[in-house]
Amino acid sequence: PAAFGQRLLATTALIGAFALTTAAHAQTTNAPPPAPTVRTDVPADRPWMDTNLSAEARADLILKEMTLAEKLDLTFGYFSTDQQWQQTPIKNYVYPKEGRPFSAGFVPGIPRLGIPNQWQTDAGVGVATQTVPEAARTADLPRGRTALPSGINTAATWNPEVAEAGGAMIGNEAFLSGFNVQLAGGMNLLREARNGRNFEYGGEDPLLSGIITGHEIKGIQSNHVISTMKHYAFNGQETNRNQMDHHIEDKAARESDLLAFQIAYETGNPGSVMCSYNRVNGFYACESDWLLNQVLKTDWGFKGYVMSDWGATHSTTQAANQGLDQQSGWAFDRSPYFAGALREAVNNGYVSEARANDMAKRILWAMFEVGLFDHPVNGDQATTIDYVKNGKISQTDAEEGMVLLKNTAGLLPLSKTAKSILIVGAHADVGVLSGGGSSQVYPKGGSPVPDEFGKGFPGPKTWYPSSPMKGIQARTQATVTYLDGKDIKAAAAAAKKADVVVVFGEQWTGEGFDMPDLNLPNNQDALISAVASKKTVVVLQTGGPVVMPWLSKVGAVVEAWYPGSNGGEAIARVLTGEVNPSGHLPATFPASLDQTPRPVIEGDPKLDADSHPMGNYNIEGAAIGYKWFDKKGLKPLFPFGHGLSYTTFALSDLTAAADGKGLKASFAVKNTGAVSGKEVAQVYVAGNGWEAPKRLGAFKKVEVAPGESQSVSVTVDPRLLATYDSASKTWNIAAGDYKVMLATSAADIAQTVTVHLDAQTLDVKGK
């Protein structure tokens, strides 16, 4: 998986060496510089296959040979699942014969020019399969693949290396499954704690979300699979997601959600960006000149292509002229806007031929840049996937992302002297939960629990056959028993007799709906309260933040998110101390909905597809999550960045100074406990005139042995010290004193120093 990155580094080094040689030659002689090596194995009729050329040069060469019809063929994609509900009296949907069965999409290539097909698969946790009717399922359908933990779990690792390894793993499985485009790189900031898709994303902070998602993108594309950064932008809820019009000022947008996307783009260089369903400031995201042409393509210099979400295209000329390059997933849209209608629009001058060329070139650039031409997929080679190895990669992600929220009197790790352990609830005897919707990766062999949703999409509600109970049994001499918790009185009676009680709480979330509140559903809070005592451990599998009315009654709480294919083993290893938990929250857990910017969710699920509900993101602007809590003086249930360990750490020796256009902070992390562990050291910065009292400026996860200390240095991106000016499109650092804070969470500051910074003006890229 690292081969592509190594090839890029090697190529960059060669280009740099050639440039230096040429410059030196020009200084010492009047002779012309040596000509670059000419490839002799490139077909004369296909000069674009010369890998010595840049992706842009190769795209220009092939574009010259294409007809207008061929260029526009690249802009229209099909849904690659044979579902006849899409066929209506005005929709002549036909399943693409060359598509991969039960997959997200297919874009035909141009065989005469060697342009490969684009086979598209969901999503950010692995190779997904679109919902298949029970009657059509066989042993091979839906396809079973390795699932990473949820995206919010990966963000909770605070570990870019883990994120990149996970991306490389699912990208490899995508490639070996016959796909060269993966609809992964989800990172909408957590503005709404009830959002049904929070589990797919990277939390509430632009720096953390941008870096973690950017590294996942980087890992995916190391396999010559295009990654699609999504959902661009402000797709913060599922209620009325196809109609909602979120309003936000440019300045606040650039300092929050758009900064997250900008950082992810700079980190991962995705070949594609997927525009979202919702409207933004009056326009659909997929026909927003501001989002697509101005911010993404002009200000950031994005060279790849913008694809629509499945069903997010609403026009032909408006969408094409405002920056959409590819209509995806026909026939989710009302019309095949980028098929015949786009050709007519170009022929009649409503969309310029230059724009048509640009649309095709952007798609071709991404295909050359990521390696689709030079490393073509070779059908379905899933039999060569190393599921054992990949499961361990997923397990590492799960273990590093689990957050120990509470641990009274050292209840965890589980005592070796315990003679009886009672496990209650959430099918913990057979498996672990996954989130629902288009990102659903099915386990090999199927779910060990029958579908409890039973209403179609975003189900089926799927569990991975990795049993926390079996994992605990394998690591203890205690007698381990299980109750499903449906009989609360029986569970309470059994809990009184056990030495330790481990109760599992679950909150299934999915695409297409939001949670009604932040409580665990189906009377689980009552179950936990009934078995609660200081010997009770609560393990949560949730899609995001939840409230905990029973918190004061229990001894320990672990947030396990949706822990992926090997999640049961990961949970058992953390609970028994085989692994020291090191996850930290990537999102604030509110004490109640009343603390959030919108206690009542905007919109109305009863509104029809032609409605135009309004949403006001200017309420909080860029003050999302912990920034909102700081600004309003609110105390959350658990703060952003919080996470305990089975050891203890001391953070000290903080120093900070101006460094280039930003600042550099140095400090020490000492393990003051008895076991090895990993700490997430967080550096926050505070300035004047910001959206909130402080911002996360940098972070570093460090592993330290007992009694040892490690010196750490981090750099704060200058954009996190600046405010954005929309009129001049600049980032401006004001002259003055800035507080630099070393912390273990947004609420737990260990040390503060003051740094004076001179005034600086940076361009739109923060340079």
Side-chain angles (χ1 to χ4, degrees):
F4 182 54
Q6 293 169 351
R7 186 173 66 82
L8 277 177
L9 290 171
T11 303
T12 303
L14 286 171
I15 292 171
F18 176 74
L20 290 171
T21 302
T22 301
H25 184 87
Q27 291 175 356
T28 57
T29 176
N30 293 325
T37 303
V38 177
R39 291 276 303 274
T40 58
D41 58 338
V42 177
D45 62 340
R46 293 187 178 181
W48 51 84
M49 293 306 294
D50 188 346
T51 56
N52 285 334
L53 300 176
S54 68
E56 186 162 3
R58 297 174 75 179
D60 282 333
L61 285 171
I62 199 168
L63 206 61
K64 292 176 183 178
E65 303 301 319
M66 298 175 70
T67 66
L68 177 62
E70 288 172 332
K71 294 171 186 175
L72 296 182
D73 280 345
L74 298 179
T75 70
F76 186 72
Y78 299 85
F79 187 43
S80 190
T81 296
D82 194 5
Q83 293 188 334
Q84 293 306 309
W85 61 264
Q86 293 192 104
Q87 200 166 64
T88 72
I90 60 170
K91 281 186 182 178
N92 185 27
Y93 169 73
V94 178
Y95 172 75
K97 292 181 180 179
E98 291 183 87
R100 307 285 185 223
F102 304 102
S103 66
F106 175 75
V107 182
I110 313 293
R112 79 174 187 90
L113 298 173
I115 299 175
N117 297 329
Q118 295 169 57
W119 287 285
Q120 302 166 325
T121 180
D122 280 302
V125 299
V127 180
T129 301
Q130 301 313 305
T131 303
V132 184
E134 287 289 344
R137 295 185 183 179
T138 68
D140 298 319
L141 291 173
R143 59 177 69 83
R145 297 291 184 269
T146 308
L148 286 172
S150 54
I152 197 168
N153 178 101
T154 302
T157 70
W158 293 64
N159 191 332
E161 293 179 0
V162 167
E164 191 165 334
M169 184 274 284
I170 65 172
N172 177 254
E173 287 203 1
F175 185 88
L176 293 176
S177 299
F179 296 102
N180 51 17
V181 180
Q182 191 154 23
L183 311 181
M187 53 175 304
N188 296 94
L189 292 189
L190 198 154
R191 288 179 176 268
E192 172 51 68
R194 291 160 289 190
N195 179 12
R197 298 188 83 173
N198 281 336
F199 75 92
E200 296 186 44
Y201 304 145
E204 68 190 25
D205 182 77
L207 177 67
L208 177 63
S209 180
I211 287 177
I212 293 296
T213 309
H215 277 275
E216 182 191 21
I217 290 168
K218 195 174 180 182
I220 290 168
Q221 293 196 159
S222 69
N223 293 276
H224 316 296
V225 174
I226 291 173
S227 179
T228 61
M229 188 168 68
K230 66 180 189 181
H231 301 95
Y232 185 76
F234 307 101
N235 191 176
Q237 65 183 60
E238 292 297 280
T239 302
N240 303 133
R241 66 174 180 170
N242 295 290
Q243 301 89 33
M244 181 61 71
D245 188 351
H246 294 296
H247 282 242
I248 186 166
E249 294 178 356
D250 179 74
K251 178 181 185 298
R254 302 271 191 162
E255 294 175 357
S256 58
D257 301 66
L258 295 184
L259 180 58
F261 277 102
Q262 189 175 14
I263 291 170
Y265 160 59
E266 294 164 354
T267 303
N269 191 32
S272 181
V273 167
M274 181 189 291
C275 51
S276 55
Y277 288 121
N278 52 285
R279 296 177 174 99
V280 182
N281 294 334
F283 298 93
Y284 282 110
C286 290
E287 48 191 51
S288 168
D289 178 72
W290 171 58
L291 283 177
L292 305 184
N293 286 335
Q294 295 180 43
V295 176
L296 179 67
K297 294 180 177 180
T298 301
D299 295 345
W300 300 349
F302 177 65
K303 293 183 178 181
Y305 65 103
V306 177
M307 65 161 66
S308 67
D309 205 340
W310 273 228
T313 305
H314 297 276
S315 63
T316 300
T317 57
Q318 296 97 319
N321 288 330
Q322 309 307 338
L324 181 64
D325 301 304
Q326 188 179 80
Q327 178 182 5
S328 306
W330 169 250
F332 277 87
D333 299 304
R334 290 184 174 181
S335 297
Y337 298 107
F338 278 18
L342 181 57
R343 294 185 187 183
E344 291 221 25
V346 176
N347 283 325
N348 291 325
Y350 299 119
V351 175
S352 70
E353 190 166 349
R355 174 64 185 127
N357 287 338
D358 179 59
M359 294 164 77
K361 181 178 176 179
R362 288 177 173 277
I363 297 166
L364 291 164
W365 178 89
M367 295 172 78
F368 281 120
E369 178 73 9
V370 180
L372 272 63
F373 278 82
D374 308 316
H375 303 273
V377 293
N378 186 25
D380 190 340
Q381 303 177 68
T383 56
T384 66
I385 293 174
D386 188 339
Y387 292 105
V388 173
K389 176 184 176 183
N390 291 353
K392 294 297 184 184
I393 294 171
S394 175
Q395 183 175 315
T396 296
D397 192 326
E399 291 166 356
E400 288 220 12
M402 285 183 201
V403 184
L404 180 60
L405 295 174
K406 177 181 180 179
N407 193 21
T408 304
L411 179 58
L412 290 176
L414 295 174
S415 171
K416 295 188 183 337
T417 62
K419 295 181 179 179
S420 62
I421 299 174
L422 174 66
I423 296 177
V424 183
H427 303 292
D429 57 330
V430 293
V432 291
L433 186 59
S434 64
S438 60
S439 66
Q440 181 67 64
V441 177
Y442 288 96
K444 291 184 72 62
S447 173
V449 180
D451 180 22
E452 298 168 314
F453 183 57
K455 301 175 184 177
F457 191 84
K461 184 177 179 182
T462 302
W463 302 73
Y464 296 124
S466 179
S467 164
M469 178 178 173
K470 290 180 180 177
I472 292 170
Q473 286 175 322
R475 294 169 172 82
T476 181
Q477 300 298 314
T479 299
V480 182
T481 55
Y482 173 77
L483 291 176
D484 62 20
K486 293 178 181 178
D487 186 335
I488 294 180
K489 289 184 178 179
K496 292 178 181 179
K497 299 175 183 177
D499 290 339
V500 180
V501 179
V502 183
V503 58
F504 284 74
E506 57 97 347
Q507 174 209 51
W508 184 66
T509 63
E511 181 178 357
F513 71 93
D514 295 319
M515 302 306 292
D517 51 46
L518 296 181
N519 291 86
L520 296 176
N522 303 320
N523 212 30
Q524 291 178 86
D525 286 328
L527 169 65
I528 296 173
S529 292
V531 300
S533 72
K534 295 306 178 184
K535 64 179 182 180
T536 301
V537 178
V538 180
V539 178
L540 297 170
Q541 295 176 79
T542 71
V546 292
V547 294
M548 305 175 197
W550 34 260
L551 181 62
S552 63
K553 303 175 185 177
V554 302
V557 182
V558 175
E559 175 58 78
W561 315 105
Y562 302 147
S565 290
N566 284 31
E569 277 290 289
I571 290 171
R573 278 162 53 87
V574 167
L575 293 183
T576 59
E578 196 170 317
V579 169
N580 192 346
S582 61
H584 285 243
L585 291 180
T588 304
F589 276 42
S592 72
L593 276 173
D594 291 337
Q595 293 183 326
T596 66
R598 281 165 290 277
V600 177
I601 202 164
E602 293 175 327
D604 183 347
K606 296 187 294 293
L607 294 175
D608 65 26
D610 296 313
S611 63
H612 194 143
M614 308 299 288
N616 185 10
Y617 279 170
N618 287 312
I619 293 172
E620 73 274 36
I624 302 171
Y626 67 93
K627 297 176 184 178
W628 172 263
F629 279 75
D630 282 354
K631 181 178 181 179
K632 296 295 182 179
L634 301 169
K635 183 179 180 180
L637 185 66
F638 290 107
F640 172 84
H642 173 72
L644 304 177
S645 170
Y646 295 152
T647 189
T648 53
F649 297 96
L651 307 184
S652 63
D653 301 335
L654 174 65
T655 62
D659 183 63
K661 295 179 179 179
L663 67 81
K664 187 174 183 179
S666 299
F667 51 88
V669 180
K670 184 175 182 179
N671 186 335
T672 56
V675 295
S676 181
K678 297 178 181 179
E679 175 65 298
V680 176
Q682 302 155 45
V683 173
Y684 294 86
V685 287
N688 294 317
W690 290 2
E691 73 281 2
K694 66 176 180 290
R695 299 168 175 167
L696 178 68
F699 61 89
K700 182 71 173 179
K701 192 169 199 176
V702 292
E703 184 169 12
V704 191
E708 294 189 358
S709 181
Q710 187 172 143
S711 297
V712 181
S713 292
V714 294
T715 301
V716 176
D717 188 306
R719 288 169 293 192
L720 297 170
L721 302 166
T723 56
Y724 186 79
D725 179 68
S726 297
S728 61
K729 290 192 175 184
T730 56
W731 294 90
N732 298 286
I733 300 175
D737 291 336
Y738 291 74
K739 288 184 179 179
V740 180
M741 293 161 275
L742 179 61
T744 55
S745 82
D748 297 290
I749 310 300
Q751 196 175 356
T752 301
V753 298
T754 300
V755 176
H756 183 84
L757 297 177
D758 295 331
Q760 288 195 70
T761 297
L762 312 169
D763 66 17
V764 72
K765 296 180 181 180
K767 304 297 184 184

